Amino acid sequence: DVPTHISKGMYGLILIEPEAPLPEVDHEIYIMQGDIYTKWKPGTDGHQEFDDVALFEENPTYVVFNGKFHGFTGDNALQANVGESMRIYFGVGGPNTISSFHVIGEVFDRVWNQADLVSDPMISVQTTLVPPGGAVVMDLEFDVPANYILVDHALTRAFHKGAIGIIQVTGAEDTAVYNENPE
């Protein structure tokens, strides 16, 4: 059935660009969040057998970005430099969970809610809700070097079920923005 089909990663994100182009950015990334339902807890070795009971109860074992547990960590972390901008096209395939998408340590400079690219964006947004079957487009700029953490802010989904990633930003410190040792 359709929920089973979607829960196995059968979803995607389609972008229809507006006639008036969005502002230029240095990096663009597409991220899809999805639910996976298995009979064993996250991190269990071996084949993960599908659990239709968990699907019917809407209790995902994994909540992942681009189909992978902790998908944008380690060698797969996203990379940027201080002063660069990034656009994230973010969608939720579902089939069941809503995402409270957030980047720990940053604020989205612009958010096109529900991927409405013809209306003015919201500005200075810290967390944005994305329903199953929905999408959002957001821009951020990096002022200081850090590891910024992408999460579904329903934090059990991030840290225990897998909806987490890292944006590694390198470059020069800017003490006008952030100073670890204020006088």
Side-chain angles (χ1 to χ4, degrees):
D1 71 340
V2 173
T4 302
H5 185 70
I6 291 171
S7 73
K8 292 184 178 186
M10 302 304 290
Y11 49 79
L13 188 64
I14 298 171
L15 172 65
I16 299 172
E17 296 196 38
E19 286 186 38
L22 297 176
E24 291 287 323
V25 293
D26 297 302
H27 304 278
E28 293 183 318
I29 183 77
Y30 288 76
I31 300 174
M32 287 297 296
Q33 180 172 313
D35 316 346
I36 300 174
Y37 301 84
T38 68
K39 294 187 184 278
W40 300 282
K41 290 184 177 186
T44 302
D45 289 335
H47 175 74
Q48 297 291 301
E49 187 176 332
F50 179 72
D51 186 346
D52 60 344
V53 173
L55 173 70
F56 295 139
E57 292 176 354
E58 299 183 9
N59 184 20
T61 312
Y62 295 89
V63 179
V64 296
F65 293 153
N66 288 9
K68 188 173 179 186
F69 182 81
H70 293 180
F72 292 105
T73 62
D75 291 340
N76 296 317
L78 303 170
Q79 305 292 319
N81 294 307
V82 168
E84 290 183 330
S85 56
M86 181 177 286
R87 176 163 299 133
I88 300 173
Y89 300 91
F90 182 82
V92 175
N96 296 313
T97 59
I98 292 171
S99 181
S100 300
F101 189 68
H102 175 71
V103 176
I104 297 173
E106 256 301 340
V107 171
F108 301 122
D109 298 305
R110 291 176 294 275
V111 173
W112 287 271
N113 196 29
Q114 296 301 309
D116 172 4
L117 301 179
V118 296
S119 298
D120 290 335
M122 298 183 294
I123 56 171
S124 298
V125 175
Q126 69 177 22
T127 302
T128 187
L129 291 173
V130 186
V136 67
V137 178
M138 63 218 78
D139 290 352
L140 27 65
E141 296 177 19
F142 303 104
D143 298 317
V144 296
N147 284 337
Y148 297 93
I149 306 171
L150 304 164
V151 295
D152 178 336
H153 213 290
L155 292 172
T156 298
R157 294 180 195 158
F159 291 96
H160 299 293
K161 294 188 176 192
I164 192 168
I166 304 290
I167 304 172
Q168 294 176 333
V169 177
T170 57
E173 296 283 346
D174 184 347
T175 57
V177 175
Y178 177 78
N179 186 353
E180 288 186 19
N181 302 307
E183 296 176 14

